[in-house]
Amino acid sequence: APRRDAGTMAAGRRALALLLFLAARGHGAKKAAKAADVADELLYLTDSTLEEALNGHRLLLISVNVPGCVECVQLEKKLRQAAPELRVKAKSAVKLGQLRIESQDSPVLAKIVQGQLSLPKLIVFKEGEALDYNGEFTKASIIETMLREASRDTVQTLRTVKQAERFLHLDSWSSQHADEEKPQRVVGFFPSNQSKGYGVFRDAARKLQGLITFGECFDAAMQKKFLGAPTRRAVIQLVKADKRERKLTYTGPLAQPPLSRWVATHSVALVQDLSTESSIEALMAIGVPVFLLLIPDSYEEELAELIASFRAVASRVRERLLFGYGFKDTEPWPQFAQQLGIAPSATGAYWMIVGNGMDVTGRDWSTAWLRPPSLGFQIYAMDARGKETAEDVTEAKIQSFVDMFHGQLLELGEPPWMTQWEAVAEEEEVVADAPVDSADGAGSSAGEVAAREYDKTLRKLIGNVQMNFNSGVAQLKKALDDLVDTPHLLPSRVPALLSTLSSTDNKLKKDLLMLKRELMDIGKEKDKQEL
């Protein structure tokens, strides 16, 4: 009996050991499968596969990686951590990936990066177009930034008069805050979304989505309010805060390249004062050569006459050339003048046409993920006028200088944006008459439609407040958690904590202001209805 018991116990131990072994293998297999699932959350791309990925995913966040980049590996870990949560919250609308390049001469990257590539780098691709990534390199910020990008429409559909007025800065809030800077808008009015011109409009919106916001309107009653009558063909307008150019209407051919170029060149002032490096970069980033007039301080008294001549020529060649001026004795120009060999004692102006070789991209370079080198641009034409006076800068001479430059370009052949496209032929469409007595331009169900829109907008604004608050708190808690074992380092981390707190405070102030504005507008609509 003792032998049988011993044998039974030994067999039991072997069975237990086998079960533990199988359980360990199963756990290891599950762990490996989970790791594989996490790995599958990321796309691993090269020059040859990036284009396919852009075509297959509407919204992509790409980390650029090169061999030996330690920071890039750390950033990849953040993407891995963010991917599962982002997939659930964004309902698979966002895809994360890594683009590995063997050198900075990557032919694909050359299309979107000008100059020196700095790493680590995150690039947002929306509908195939490269946009700036404006967040931090943390899991929380990656999720927050991409969720915000996923909720943003490339073109905003304007369904009510109140919504359109707010979009075009015609509402009561905008009039009460007339001194605040208001961004430019592009709005397209169409008989329907089947209009041939509408497809061109959408293509231009995708191209320029980082530069300016686009809106669309199909409602006949709203078109009657803003245009005077329902439109039978595409009407595209650029609305600006500039008193000289409050509203401009596009009259060119219906094709994406000329429309994009018109929007990009007309979205800025006709003549710009280039007194900062950021203003220089922003103007040149549009992708059109710039006529730069560097003048001595002695010209300041005659500046008004100079600008009048400048404006006259600029208005004639606007889609081919942008215009800006700077004082060569005032920062940031003295160093540049010295590099060109301009003597500080020179009395005349320097005329030059400059650029950085970029195409019209629409990227907002005020928060650019890649800036050109300081004052780093090419000079296409230059004329140093050492003994010139302010009276010598005439409209005729400016026009002659511009004509000389354009003549040289024509000898090289027409640029691609002028020739490599075909305009669509748009026919007038039959549209229904707009209702006249509609309270808000949306027909008999306008009240219900407006109520749903208000509810949707309020929930979105409240969600932004909650998201930014939670994100700020999470970043502060994480920073403190990192100091649990090294509390003596807290004083040195105070500046970073204050920076995070300040950033959160600014975001919340903006969100709450937008929420207050929305509620005020809803209240005024209620008062109008009661009257």
Side-chain angles (χ1 to χ4, degrees):
R3 289 179 183 175
R4 284 198 300 270
D5 291 344
T8 301
M9 292 177 63
R13 284 195 294 269
R14 288 196 296 270
L16 180 60
L18 179 60
L19 288 173
L20 291 174
F21 174 72
L22 292 175
R25 285 192 60 184
H27 178 71
K30 289 181 180 179
K31 190 173 181 180
K34 185 176 180 180
D37 288 341
V38 173
D40 290 340
E41 297 281 0
L42 300 184
L43 296 175
Y44 291 90
L45 307 171
T46 62
D47 280 348
S48 60
T49 59
L50 176 60
E51 198 69 32
E52 181 182 355
L54 295 181
N55 294 331
H57 300 279
R58 179 178 177 272
L59 185 57
L60 266 172
L61 178 63
I62 298 296
S63 168
V64 181
N65 194 349
V66 297
C69 175
V70 178
E71 292 84 357
C72 300
V73 175
Q74 297 300 318
L75 183 55
E76 181 189 348
K77 292 180 180 179
K78 300 297 182 183
L79 291 180
R80 286 177 177 274
Q81 294 170 5
E85 184 176 344
L86 191 56
R87 174 173 53 81
V88 173
K89 290 185 175 180
K91 298 180 181 179
S92 300
V94 180
K95 193 67 178 177
L96 308 183
Q98 180 191 93
L99 173 63
R100 184 176 179 85
I101 58 175
E102 299 301 323
S103 72
Q104 294 190 21
D105 297 327
S106 161
V108 173
L109 209 58
K111 296 179 182 179
I112 53 176
V113 174
Q114 305 290 328
Q116 184 72 22
L117 172 64
S118 59
L119 295 173
K121 186 65 64 186
L122 285 176
I123 307 173
V124 178
F125 287 94
K126 191 168 186 178
E127 298 186 81
E129 294 296 329
L131 303 174
D132 301 322
Y133 173 80
N134 298 322
E136 300 175 359
F137 291 170
T138 64
K139 173 188 173 182
S141 184
I142 289 171
I143 293 173
E144 177 188 353
T145 302
M146 296 311 295
L147 285 176
R148 187 186 307 118
E149 196 61 48
S151 66
R152 182 180 66 84
D153 294 328
T154 304
V155 180
Q156 183 177 341
T157 302
L158 306 177
R159 295 184 173 88
T160 67
V161 170
K162 180 58 66 177
Q163 186 184 13
E165 287 179 342
R166 182 181 307 148
F167 181 81
L168 299 173
H169 310 302
L170 300 174
D171 59 336
S172 57
W173 188 92
S174 297
S175 62
Q176 293 171 11
H177 298 78
D179 296 335
E180 294 187 14
E181 183 178 355
K182 300 177 182 63
Q184 305 93 327
R185 307 290 197 194
V186 178
V187 59
F189 299 93
F190 306 94
S192 71
N193 59 8
Q194 301 301 314
S195 305
K196 294 181 179 179
Y198 178 64
V200 173
F201 180 77
R202 293 284 305 193
D203 289 341
R206 281 192 291 269
K207 186 72 173 175
L208 301 179
Q209 58 185 303
L211 174 70
I212 193 168
T213 303
F214 284 69
E216 61 192 17
C217 175
F218 306 105
D219 186 271
M222 291 175 59
Q223 292 173 3
K224 184 174 182 178
K225 176 178 176 60
F226 290 103
L227 300 178
T231 183
R232 300 178 184 276
R233 59 173 65 236
V235 177
I236 301 172
Q237 296 180 338
L238 172 64
V239 181
K240 305 166 60 177
D242 190 339
K243 293 182 180 179
R244 292 175 179 266
E245 299 179 319
R246 180 70 181 97
K247 183 168 63 177
L248 304 173
T249 301
Y250 180 66
T251 57
L254 279 175
Q256 180 269 315
L259 175 58
S260 296
R261 197 174 182 89
W262 180 83
V263 171
T265 54
H266 286 72
S267 65
V268 296
L270 190 58
V271 176
Q272 294 219 49
D273 176 5
L274 303 179
S275 56
T276 63
E277 288 191 28
S278 61
S279 64
I280 301 164
E281 292 167 351
L283 191 61
M284 287 195 301
I286 290 176
V288 179
V290 177
F291 187 142
L292 174 61
L293 182 67
L294 280 186
I295 57 179
D297 291 347
S298 59
Y299 281 26
E300 189 167 6
E301 293 184 1
E302 292 83 10
L303 185 60
E305 289 79 5
L306 293 179
I307 297 303
S309 299
F310 234 31
R311 290 184 62 87
V313 178
S315 62
R316 293 192 285 267
V317 295
R318 190 167 192 172
E319 291 172 42
R320 287 173 171 264
L321 201 62
L322 300 175
F323 285 69
Y325 68 93
F327 290 93
K328 66 184 180 70
D329 302 320
T330 305
E331 294 295 340
W333 295 110
Q335 182 180 0
F336 175 67
Q338 183 180 5
Q339 293 173 354
L340 289 177
I342 300 177
S345 58
T347 57
Y350 279 74
W351 302 23
M352 60 190 75
I353 295 177
V354 300
N356 58 6
M358 293 185 66
D359 294 326
V360 176
T361 62
R363 186 170 296 115
D364 178 6
W365 280 52
S366 63
T367 54
W369 50 268
L370 181 69
R371 294 180 181 273
S374 179
L375 301 179
F377 45 73
Q378 297 170 303
I379 299 177
Y380 303 137
M382 187 173 82
D383 189 6
R385 301 175 178 241
K387 296 182 180 180
E388 181 185 64
T389 63
E391 291 77 9
D392 296 324
V393 183
T394 64
E395 180 181 336
K397 290 182 179 179
I398 295 173
Q399 185 68 61
S400 176
F401 187 71
V402 169
D403 291 343
M404 176 197 67
F405 172 67
H406 284 155
Q408 295 172 350
L409 291 182
L410 289 175
E411 291 178 3
L412 301 175
E414 294 284 5
W417 71 269
M418 293 186 63
T419 57
Q420 296 180 5
W421 51 265
E422 182 177 350
V424 301
E426 191 180 35
E427 299 179 356
E428 289 193 355
E429 299 183 24
V430 177
V431 295
D433 292 333
V436 177
D437 297 324
S438 173
D440 69 344
S444 59
S445 61
E448 296 180 3
V449 173
R452 286 195 295 270
E453 285 297 320
Y454 285 139
D455 180 79
K456 180 180 177 181
T457 302
L458 287 174
R459 289 179 184 277
K460 184 175 181 180
L461 292 174
I462 293 172
N464 289 341
V465 174
Q466 185 178 17
M467 182 184 298
N468 284 326
F469 176 79
N470 291 340
S471 174
V473 171
Q475 291 182 52
L476 291 170
K477 290 178 66 175
K478 182 180 182 303
L480 293 176
D481 289 342
D482 292 341
L483 296 172
V484 169
D485 297 327
T486 54
H488 61 282
L489 296 179
L490 178 59
S492 64
R493 302 291 175 86
V494 168
L497 292 171
L498 288 174
S499 176
T500 300
L501 191 62
S502 176
S503 176
T504 303
D505 181 52
N506 289 334
K507 290 179 181 178
L508 289 175
K509 284 180 179 178
K510 180 180 178 181
D511 291 340
L512 291 172
L513 184 62
M514 293 296 292
L515 182 59
K516 180 180 178 181
R517 170 184 174 183
E518 180 68 21
L519 289 171
M520 289 173 60
D521 287 340
I522 294 174
K524 289 179 180 178
E525 278 298 304
K526 178 178 179 296
D527 293 340
K528 287 182 182 179
Q529 292 173 5
E530 291 176 351
L531 292 175

